[in-house]
Amino acid sequence: SSEVLEAIENVIEDVFKSLAEKKAPVLTLANRSDWRNIEFKDSVGLQMIPRCTTQQIRSDCPRSAPKFALILKILSMIYKMVQSNTYATKRDIYYSDTLLFGSQTVVDSIINDISCMLKIPRRSLHILSTSKGFVAGNLSYTEEDGTKVNCTCGATVFTVPSNVQGIKNLISHAKFVLIVEKDATFQRLLDDDFCNKLSPCIMITGRGIPDLNTRLLVRKLWDTFQIPVFTLMDADPHGIEIMCVYKYGSVSMSFEAHHLTVPSIKWLGLLPSDLKRLNIHKDVLIPFTKQDQNKLESIQKRPYIACQPMWKKELEIMAASKLKAEIQVLTSLSSDYLSRVYLPNKLQFGGWL
């Protein structure tokens, strides 16, 4: 906490120095969403380069002055929370003055900018985000406040903790972790008792694009248990994008890649090549939209696809067919095909990439 306080004090000191010299104070932020500031490293994923391009948030420029003021406002809130050892969610911060902040998105973006500027992970700033992810299966742990959580009890679902860093005493006999893209598929596998039937496993879903806490938990499970981590996604560009976020990280959070990515993640399904192999009828497949086309082309150009020849091949199959499929297409073969046939065969015979 002293490191956080010192980092904030340094920023404020610079502001005072500028004022004392009768200059307009300026804050320098890294351009987080610029691909030119990102490098791909096989062992980490997407990470920010040390000397990246920056933008100046000036206090004397009408366009950037409001952002300058909001950064200082949130810095003062963080400073008080770290001093008093209290925590707030991003939502709490927004609702402390909705008129001032205007929207939750503005708050979220500024918090990430501050984290990047101070080079301090967001959770060390005493800011929590409400988790939307779920976890189930062979896992128990103790939360920071001492609450014991046991996910092993049947079909019980637990929300991913909002302070993943604080959880301890993780115990599991799981043989693997399965990341499921969608909530509906996750619930279906739970109903089929998948976590126990084949071999004990841990299932996680970020319910679409994963939030920070879900990504942190996947990383923590991998660090703790060193067991294989598989993904089960729709065979479409959106599903592949989500899988890449878990495996290689996202551009906007590349400054925190070391805590968030799991480069050893394997693509279990649904593979574009599975659709032909399983004779899935074309009637249940969905034609590409222009958006799908653009998204796939953008993914194919990314630096990490070049080092994944098998993935590259799958993307080419999808691009050639211009068709996508949700995991639910497997129900066209039989209602429990996913948990009874598809996943057991994949896991037993190594059908992952």
Side-chain angles (χ1 to χ4, degrees):
S1 60
S2 59
E3 188 192 328
V4 181
L5 296 175
E6 195 184 325
I8 296 173
E9 285 161 8
N10 289 340
V11 172
I12 303 305
E13 208 175 299
D14 287 345
V15 170
F16 278 130
K17 272 182 191 163
S18 298
L19 291 170
E21 293 166 10
K22 296 194 166 38
K23 289 180 188 164
V26 171
L27 295 172
T28 304
L29 301 180
N31 287 326
R32 288 188 295 115
S33 54
D34 190 337
W35 272 95
R36 287 171 301 179
N37 288 335
I38 311 297
E39 63 177 355
F40 170 63
K41 205 171 172 190
D42 216 359
S43 58
V44 180
L46 299 175
Q47 62 176 13
M48 195 170 266
I49 59 174
R51 288 185 185 81
C52 61
T53 61
T54 56
Q55 52 172 319
Q56 291 201 321
I57 309 297
R58 301 189 61 85
S59 58
D60 61 347
C61 164
R63 274 183 60 205
S64 62
K67 184 168 183 176
F68 181 93
L70 290 180
I71 291 173
L72 290 194
K73 166 76 174 167
I74 293 179
L75 276 172
S76 77
M77 294 172 87
I78 292 168
Y79 194 83
K80 280 177 193 158
M81 288 192 298
V82 175
Q83 269 189 325
S84 59
N85 197 24
T86 53
Y87 287 81
T89 64
K90 293 189 299 182
R91 212 161 171 70
D92 294 334
I93 289 174
Y94 168 59
Y95 279 109
S96 70
D97 200 332
T98 52
L99 281 175
L100 176 71
F101 293 119
S103 78
Q104 182 71 61
T105 320
V106 169
V107 173
D108 296 356
S109 175
I110 286 176
I111 288 166
N112 285 340
D113 281 336
I114 288 173
S115 175
C116 185
M117 175 176 74
L118 301 179
K119 294 186 172 49
I120 288 168
R122 198 172 75 189
R123 52 213 169 278
S124 301
L125 302 175
H126 285 230
I127 295 173
L128 306 172
S129 51
T130 314
S131 299
K132 68 181 178 97
F134 290 147
V135 60
N138 195 290
L139 175 69
S140 63
Y141 55 86
T142 308
E143 290 198 6
E144 196 178 29
D145 63 1
T147 308
K148 287 185 164 54
V149 176
N150 186 1
C151 309
T152 316
C153 317
T156 319
V157 171
F158 288 88
T159 305
V160 168
S162 57
N163 189 354
V164 175
Q165 195 187 22
I167 67 173
K168 48 191 183 290
N169 305 332
L170 285 89
I171 298 166
S172 177
H173 303 294
K175 296 284 180 272
F176 60 91
V177 174
L178 181 67
I179 300 170
V180 182
E181 178 188 347
K182 284 185 182 154
D183 191 21
T185 312
F186 181 84
Q187 299 292 347
R188 179 66 216 243
L189 289 171
L190 270 184
D191 293 344
D192 291 348
D193 197 24
F194 178 75
C195 290
N196 301 309
K197 265 186 183 164
L198 187 67
S199 58
C201 74
I202 300 166
M203 278 203 318
I204 288 188
T205 179
R207 298 161 77 197
I209 295 169
D211 59 353
L212 196 69
N213 294 327
T214 305
R215 291 170 63 189
L216 282 168
L217 183 60
V218 170
R219 174 66 197 231
K220 184 151 194 148
L221 292 174
W222 183 68
D223 281 340
T224 309
F225 302 117
Q226 294 289 311
I227 51 178
V229 182
F230 298 112
T231 59
L232 181 62
M233 307 279 150
D234 287 342
D236 66 9
H238 188 64
I240 290 161
E241 172 87 281
I242 289 170
M243 172 171 60
C244 291
V245 168
Y246 282 108
K247 187 176 171 77
Y248 296 121
S250 58
V251 174
S252 63
M253 293 297 288
S254 59
F255 63 94
E256 267 214 62
H258 289 80
H259 310 286
L260 293 173
T261 59
V262 181
S264 65
I265 279 175
K266 303 285 182 232
W267 185 5
L268 191 66
L270 187 64
L271 303 178
S273 60
D274 288 338
L275 304 175
K276 194 175 176 188
R277 184 175 60 81
L278 299 171
N279 290 321
I280 302 286
H281 208 277
K282 279 218 169 132
D283 295 353
V284 292
L285 302 178
I286 308 159
F288 260 25
T289 61
K290 186 75 187 119
Q291 205 179 355
D292 291 326
Q293 185 87 32
N294 295 342
K295 169 78 79 184
L296 184 60
E297 283 170 11
S298 138
I299 294 170
Q300 284 177 304
K301 288 180 192 142
R302 289 188 196 164
Y304 44 69
I305 296 300
C307 69
Q308 289 281 3
M310 300 300 278
W311 282 32
K312 200 168 172 231
K313 219 168 166 180
E314 292 293 332
L315 298 189
E316 282 162 5
I317 292 171
M318 191 185 285
S321 73
K322 289 192 170 56
L323 293 167
K324 57 183 183 176
E326 296 186 330
I327 295 163
Q328 281 72 12
V329 297
L330 297 176
T331 57
S332 65
L333 301 171
S334 79
S335 62
D336 59 351
Y337 191 86
L338 176 65
S339 59
R340 187 176 53 84
V341 182
Y342 183 82
L343 289 175
N345 280 350
K346 284 255 169 179
L347 291 160
Q348 195 179 345
F349 301 113
W352 57 79
L353 304 178

